[in-house]
Amino acid sequence: MRFHLLGSLEVLDDDMPVPLGGVKQRAALGFLLLHANRVVATSKLLQALWPRDVPPTARKMLQNAVSGLRGVLTPHGSPEGSGPEGSGPDGSALLLTHAPGYLLRVDPDSLDLSRFQQLTEQGRGELSSGNWPAAAKVLRKALSLWRGPVLADLAETGINWPELTAIKDWRLATQEDCFESELACGRHYEIIGELESLIEVEPYRERLNGQLMLALYRCGRQVDALSVYRRTRAALVEELGLEPGRELQELERAILDHAPALDLPPSVQRRHLLAVGQSSPALPVPAPAPVVITPPVVEPAAADVTIVERKLVSVVMVSAQLGLAAGDGDPEDVDEVHQEVAAVVRAEVSRLGGVVGGNVGSVFLALFGVPRTSEDDADRAVRAALAIRDRLSSVADVQVGVTTGDALVRLPGSGTPSASGVLLDQCRQLMALAPLGAVRACTTTRDAGPSVTWAADPAPTGGWQAVSCVCPRGATRRTQASVPLVERERELFVLQGLLDEVRDRRRPHFVTVLGEAGVGKTRLVNELTPSCATALRGTATAFGDDHGYGPLSDVVQGFSSPEALHDALTSLVGAGDLADRLHSSLAGLASGSPDVSADFPAWRRFLEEIADSGPLVVFLEDVHWANDVVLDFVEELSEHAGSVPLLVIATARPELLQRRPSWFGGKRNATTISLEPLSHNGTRSLLNSLLGTRELSAELWQALVSCVGGNPLFATEYARMVADPRMPCVHNDGALPVPPPVRSVITAQLDSLPFPVKSVLGDAAVVGDLVSPGAVAATGQHDLGDVSKALELLEQRDFLRRQGRNSETGEIEYGFRHGLVRDVVADQLPRAVRSEKQERAAAWFAEPALDLMPFMDRRAG
């Protein structure tokens, strides 16, 4: 039997959940498990179960609960104590009466809390001895045991035992230890997002804030690191009347001074990543824990590792006329303006997820799409350029160029990423030709910038001038309103039925629409919302000036403008204290103020009042990007909204399943709709609608359907490409190029992988359509065991699909889920590296087949 406390209370017998009784019986078991293998006094149990007023029959009720638990914990009615000492039959738990109360005997290995404590202590031991990689691995393994807040289901009933707070604090301390070890390993890029999300919930933990400051500083984001300090200090002073501790103050001074002590020591400055084409011997890592496949980490034998990739990036160049701004051009005056311009460029580029690549004099370079690609890199690059132009309008005259295209990107183990290629020369030319105060961009950037208003550039060399943003945070996806809705009739019928049920029964309902990028989540919901009496929409973004509450701000702004909010609330609830309270709580969200904080009870009351006057649909888009605070509120809203006709629809990608498994637990008022790719016939039907009467050869039709792979966004982009007369290779039935928006989506998915695993996928792309661990290991010169684990992870993440075993070697063989994935990942390899890998793959296939089945079986055992 196994017991899970780190999340909702669960008892598993041979991996099957054991049904438990009512709340009191579950609470009694939960409290006894918190004190497993220790005697718990009856008086203490009674106080835990009835913290306020203990009823006269409490002892009898407790005895009944204990009797019921004994039946649960004793399988097949075996008599108490029939198992070995310290456990029940077959190793099950024993619940004993032991003065002055009860004793629950449990094997520590069967209790996730005990396992978490053991792993935490082990990880801290590695941390204290300076073994950073081992510490990070063990602590991550400990944290992976958590499925949600400790005893989450009991906490929902109002139970608030001191033990729960202590365990929560233990988890936070473990997370901090884990971040410390990963910072020591040089993984500052990887942990920034996790740190930011955690600090949203725990803003006063100085150690967490210090770790975020250090991670940002090592990523070249000094301004952002100092902003974290100022925000933390303001929170401590204003809320608690305390100054930050000495360590945090000293860290701020060290960042201001660029103290060498903040840099990684040379001995550990290498990132634990495998450089593309690295031929040095690989150092294997220990076998990963069961279920969770830890990516293999290959440690180089020499100095810093630099990853080299061909990538689609957007480049921004800003030229500022500093001499004109500084009057007579005195060097000190020019430097003062230069520092102000540099600060603005860094702040706006970092805010929108870019990287400042340095400057030459008054010309600044920024890159979007490194180290990780996002689907809207070009759009965010232009928005950053416009923000820089607007903020510097009173400081200096600027010229800005933006280009999007292929570049060779270098990602060093420490330091700033760089890019090279003709793309940078094109950007410099565009910048030089831009009028003062203008942002000039190439056509590719214009086509990928839907949240920006454009004007044709009068310059004879062509180009486009960005005028302004359509909205502050940007509606950065391509609209698919004109795309026919194909093979989504069943899902639309479900949504319409839920809306009717909400309307008729005046009962709230929560819907999550899951699907990969471009599969049509937004398109489906857009088909429903025109039939709604009232529909409010909010969108979460990976980057943007939304202070974490962007989706909530969007909903409030959709209800009313900031200026008219009080009047709108008065017309909704009448004049008086309620309208004033709601306005006080929602005004920050309506204005998007940087000091915004979400008053969730007021926000829920606001939605309930709107729904009370008529059915309300709240559409929250891309919630996989929302921070944990917003996700907590959305979950709370779905569970505790009053009896009003409220339908909450959230769209998300499958990764939300890992962050919020509790959303998908079969709740009474919750529904999950998963959108799968279109069928072959559905894809042809959609392409027919998009292409109209255009005549295509059978070969081109087959290539189109194969490339689209059932993704409506891909179909839209390929249809647009086929209709473009500037693409002769398409009309000559040549190989179909990958449209930039499609390539961005796939590259973003690839960049979500740990680099060692992504490197294995690149080797697999060189091997061919059908790959095996042996061929991939030989191609990339990796350890066979590490490659096998990486291929399993790639199968879990749906990049590969298992095709069976090779009849000669006995190895498992995998195929690519989508041919475009293979094309894109192979295209990221530099030519020389790809050629070297192809030679190694050919040499492996030329060797006689080796039966690896016994070896693989031994590893599995």
Side-chain angles (χ1 to χ4, degrees):
M1 237 176 216
R2 290 183 288 116
F3 302 89
H4 293 166
L5 304 184
L6 306 181
S8 296
L9 176 61
E10 286 184 350
V11 179
L12 300 177
D13 188 7
D14 290 334
D15 294 328
M16 295 297 294
V18 175
L20 300 173
V23 172
K24 294 304 179 187
Q25 182 171 309
R26 295 175 67 87
L29 176 59
F31 195 80
L32 288 167
L33 285 169
L34 289 174
H35 302 83
N37 300 310
R38 287 177 287 169
V39 176
V40 180
T42 301
S43 58
K44 191 172 182 180
L45 257 175
L46 292 172
Q47 185 180 5
L49 269 58
W50 290 275
R52 295 181 181 85
D53 299 319
V54 180
T57 58
R59 285 184 177 271
K60 183 61 177 176
M61 295 169 67
L62 176 59
Q63 291 170 0
N64 292 337
V66 169
S67 176
L69 286 174
R70 283 179 172 145
V72 168
L73 302 177
T74 307
H76 313 300
S78 300
E80 179 180 86
S82 63
E85 182 179 357
S87 66
D90 302 322
S92 59
L94 271 180
L95 179 50
L96 306 175
T97 301
H98 194 300
Y102 299 94
L103 169 65
L104 180 60
R105 284 183 178 172
V106 176
D107 181 354
D109 287 339
S110 69
L111 182 61
D112 60 355
L113 176 59
S114 298
R115 184 68 179 141
F116 168 73
Q117 293 167 337
Q118 293 167 3
L119 288 171
T120 298
E121 291 303 325
Q122 180 186 344
R124 286 173 177 167
E126 299 286 2
L127 187 62
S128 63
S129 66
N131 191 352
W132 318 119
K137 181 178 180 181
V138 173
L139 292 171
R140 279 292 173 192
K141 186 176 179 181
L143 292 168
S144 70
L145 297 173
W146 286 77
R147 300 167 292 110
V150 60
L151 292 177
D153 54 333
L154 296 178
E156 285 292 327
T157 67
I159 284 175
N160 188 24
W161 300 325
E163 292 87 350
L164 305 187
T165 302
I167 296 171
K168 174 189 173 185
D169 290 341
W170 195 330
R171 180 190 188 186
L172 284 169
T174 302
Q175 289 174 304
E176 290 171 338
D177 290 337
C178 183
F179 292 139
E180 180 179 334
S181 59
E182 291 182 325
L183 281 168
C185 293
R187 300 172 189 164
H188 34 273
Y189 280 107
E190 291 87 339
I191 65 173
I192 284 178
E194 194 174 352
L195 276 166
E196 290 175 333
S197 297
L198 191 54
I199 287 171
E200 290 281 350
V201 185
E202 300 289 340
Y204 304 124
R205 291 187 75 96
E206 294 188 31
R207 187 182 179 195
L208 277 178
N209 283 282
Q211 289 170 335
L212 177 58
M213 291 168 62
L214 181 58
L216 290 168
Y217 176 80
R218 287 181 177 172
C219 291
R221 297 168 62 181
Q222 179 188 2
V223 173
D224 290 339
L226 295 173
S227 297
V228 171
Y229 177 81
R230 288 193 294 270
R231 185 176 68 233
T232 305
R233 181 183 181 276
L236 290 170
V237 171
E238 295 171 9
E239 300 293 334
L240 305 177
L242 299 173
E243 285 287 340
R246 178 176 56 82
E247 290 184 0
L248 205 63
Q249 294 182 33
E250 290 177 353
L251 177 59
E252 183 213 19
R253 285 194 292 271
I255 290 174
L256 289 169
D257 296 339
H258 293 275
L262 298 182
D263 298 328
L264 285 170
S267 60
V268 295
Q269 203 172 47
R270 306 187 304 270
R271 292 181 69 186
H272 292 277
L273 300 171
L274 175 64
V276 175
Q278 179 76 26
S279 57
S280 356
L283 300 180
V285 296
V291 182
V292 178
I293 298 173
T294 303
V297 178
V298 182
E299 184 147 0
D304 285 0
V305 173
T306 297
I307 302 165
V308 183
E309 290 182 324
R310 295 169 58 100
K311 297 193 76 172
L312 183 69
V313 301
S314 291
V315 180
V316 178
M317 284 191 183
V318 181
S319 174
Q321 306 296 319
L322 302 183
L324 297 177
D328 59 4
D330 181 272
E332 292 188 23
D333 295 335
V334 171
D335 181 70
E336 183 178 349
V337 178
H338 174 87
Q339 296 301 327
E340 185 172 355
V341 171
V344 169
V345 171
R346 289 193 183 93
E348 292 300 331
V349 170
S350 298
R351 178 176 67 86
L352 287 162
V355 174
V356 177
N359 65 286
V360 177
S362 60
V363 177
F364 297 84
L365 169 69
L367 302 173
F368 288 80
V370 295
R372 289 182 57 173
T373 297
S374 295
E375 296 143 31
D376 58 347
D377 286 322
D379 194 81
R380 289 186 291 105
V382 179
R383 288 164 55 203
L386 289 169
I388 292 168
R389 179 201 66 183
D390 294 343
R391 286 187 59 181
L392 293 179
S393 59
S394 61
V395 178
D397 291 325
V398 298
Q399 300 166 283
V400 188
V402 187
T403 52
T404 299
D406 286 324
L408 195 66
V409 174
R410 287 177 170 83
L411 305 174
S414 60
T416 304
S418 63
S420 59
V422 69
L423 184 69
L424 278 76
D425 293 330
Q426 294 171 347
C427 190
R428 179 178 54 81
Q429 293 169 3
L430 283 174
M431 176 191 68
L433 292 172
L436 292 178
V439 175
R440 198 160 185 266
C442 67
T443 300
T444 303
T445 303
R446 189 280 311 264
D447 290 344
S451 73
V452 177
T453 302
W454 297 91
D457 196 322
T461 54
W464 298 84
Q465 284 193 20
V467 179
S468 62
C469 290
V470 175
C471 64
R473 295 198 303 118
T476 57
R477 66 178 41 78
R478 290 172 177 269
T479 178
Q480 295 189 47
S482 59
V483 177
L485 194 68
V486 176
E487 290 189 343
R488 301 292 186 232
E489 293 80 5
R490 183 185 65 82
E491 291 84 357
L492 181 58
F493 179 78
V494 171
L495 283 180
Q496 289 171 333
L498 292 172
L499 178 59
D500 292 340
E501 182 177 330
V502 164
R503 182 186 293 115
D504 296 340
R505 300 189 179 184
R506 294 184 62 83
R507 186 170 65 190
H509 202 89
F510 181 57
V511 182
T512 307
V513 181
L514 286 177
E516 295 289 352
V519 80
K521 303 180 294 294
T522 302
R523 177 69 183 87
L524 172 67
V525 179
N526 285 345
E527 193 73 15
L528 175 74
T529 49
S531 62
C532 306
T534 306
L536 298 175
R537 181 185 299 251
T539 303
T541 59
F543 305 95
D545 192 17
D546 62 15
H547 312 290
Y549 298 113
L552 312 188
S553 293
D554 290 346
V555 171
V556 176
Q557 292 167 5
F559 173 74
S560 170
S561 66
E563 300 77 17
L565 180 61
H566 191 277
D567 292 341
L569 291 171
T570 300
S571 65
L572 180 66
V573 301
D577 290 344
L578 178 56
D580 294 341
R581 285 202 313 273
L582 289 177
H583 181 262
S584 175
S585 300
L586 301 175
L589 288 173
S591 63
S593 165
D595 299 323
V596 65
S597 62
D599 182 345
F600 290 157
W603 204 82
R604 184 178 69 193
R605 179 66 182 272
F606 160 69
L607 295 181
E608 289 174 345
E609 291 291 344
I610 299 176
D612 193 50
S613 60
L616 170 64
V617 174
V618 176
F619 175 26
L620 301 174
E621 195 164 8
D622 290 340
V623 296
H624 53 277
W625 277 329
N627 63 32
D628 284 336
V629 178
V630 172
L631 292 180
D632 285 341
F633 174 66
V634 174
E635 188 168 2
E636 189 266 350
L637 174 67
S638 69
E639 294 177 351
H640 301 295
S643 297
V644 292
L646 171 65
L647 181 64
V648 181
I649 305 175
T651 66
R653 296 184 191 167
E655 51 259 41
L656 184 67
L657 286 164
Q658 303 298 322
R659 292 183 61 190
R660 290 285 154 155
S662 58
W663 281 24
F664 310 96
K667 298 178 181 178
R668 178 182 59 83
N669 67 329
T671 301
T672 300
I673 297 175
S674 295
L675 295 187
E676 299 296 331
L678 303 179
S679 68
H680 181 88
N681 289 336
T683 301
R684 289 187 66 93
S685 174
L686 178 57
L687 286 170
N688 266 320
S689 300
L690 294 170
L691 293 169
T693 59
R694 189 175 301 275
E695 294 290 336
L696 301 179
S697 66
E699 293 81 4
L700 184 53
W701 260 113
Q702 182 177 354
L704 276 174
V705 172
S706 175
C707 288
V708 169
N711 188 300
L713 173 64
F714 292 6
T716 304
E717 296 302 332
Y718 272 101
R720 181 181 287 115
M721 184 178 68
V722 168
D724 189 344
R726 296 172 297 177
M727 300 295 290
C729 63
V730 172
H731 301 282
N732 293 333
D733 295 342
L736 288 173
V738 183
V742 175
R743 183 176 168 194
S744 294
V745 169
I746 296 173
T747 306
Q749 294 171 347
L750 294 172
D751 284 353
S752 70
L753 293 168
F755 184 79
V757 178
K758 181 182 174 183
S759 177
V760 169
L761 188 62
D763 297 333
V766 172
V767 170
D769 293 324
L770 199 64
V771 302
S772 63
V776 175
T779 300
Q781 294 184 328
H782 300 324
D783 175 78
L784 179 60
D786 290 340
V787 169
S788 298
K789 296 297 183 183
L791 292 175
E792 290 177 31
L793 179 61
L794 289 165
E795 181 191 15
Q796 288 183 3
R797 297 283 294 271
D798 206 27
F799 288 95
L800 300 176
R801 288 184 178 166
R802 194 172 298 211
Q803 304 294 327
R805 287 190 181 271
N806 185 289
S807 58
E808 296 182 359
T809 66
E811 286 189 294
I812 297 172
E813 292 185 318
Y814 300 88
F816 280 84
R817 172 184 60 84
H818 198 303
L820 288 183
V821 172
R822 180 191 171 192
D823 294 343
V824 171
V825 73
D827 189 56
Q828 288 187 328
L829 298 173
R831 286 193 300 268
V833 172
R834 187 164 59 242
S835 176
E836 184 179 343
K837 290 179 181 293
Q838 287 170 342
E839 290 178 3
R840 291 200 291 262
W844 186 89
F845 281 112
E847 293 178 357
L850 175 65
D851 186 0
L852 299 176
M853 178 69 82
F855 172 77
M856 301 302 290
D857 287 344
R858 286 197 302 273
R859 288 188 60 89

